[in-house]
Amino acid sequence: MGPLLARLRGGRGPAAVMAVLTVGALLPLLWRSTPTTFASAVLFGGSFLTVVAAVTAVARRSLHPRHWTPAIATLTVAFALGQCAGPVLAGLLSDGPAGLRAGLTVSVAILAAGTLLALVQTERRPTPQNQPDGSAVPNGG
């Protein structure tokens, strides 16, 4: 999966993964059946950790190697915080009058928003003032 995601430019890799996650979370809201539950589990469970790989590929294309470790560490911490907060929020919502449907609906909305945000990200290249050796290219050249 990594090489395929690495070929997608801009935020298309993370957007593709989050679109799969969105569909996986949406399925149980649309249909209530055992096959739908299994399809949801396969889509969601099989792709949620791929978000890290997709975002790592974008970071590696967009930053100089000396910035990879702190950037990827920051992104991984943000992902982990979401993995901690998401189930708590979904659980609180699911304990309310709307039940599990409320938690899933909010999850789908957040994932869809993340998909759209990732999709509009453009391809970025490291800037000249951040050359790997720390030097700057004066006046464009």
Side-chain angles (χ1 to χ4, degrees), residues 26-128:
L26 181 63
L27 286 177
L29 290 172
L30 300 176
W31 299 284
R32 296 182 77 187
S33 69
T34 301
T36 301
T37 302
F38 282 118
S40 172
V42 168
L43 289 173
F44 199 92
S47 60
F48 84 95
L49 287 176
T50 309
V51 172
V52 175
V55 172
T56 297
V58 172
R60 292 183 77 174
R61 276 196 317 272
S62 302
L63 301 170
H64 287 289
R66 69 182 171 148
H67 297 295
W68 290 354
T69 300
I72 293 169
T74 301
L75 294 167
T76 302
V77 168
F79 179 78
L81 290 173
Q83 288 298 309
C84 293
V88 171
L89 175 61
L92 290 171
L93 292 169
S94 296
D95 286 341
L100 185 57
R101 189 172 240 358
L104 279 173
T105 300
V106 170
S107 297
V108 167
I110 291 170
L111 286 165
T115 300
L116 293 175
L117 284 172
L119 197 56
V120 299
Q121 298 303 306
T122 58
E123 182 70 18
R124 296 183 183 210
R125 289 281 165 205
T127 58

Side-chain angles (χ1 to χ4, degrees), residues 5 18 20-21 34 37 58 71-72 112 118 135:
L5 291 172
M18 286 192 291
V20 172
L21 288 168
T34 301
T37 302
V58 172
I72 293 169
S135 66

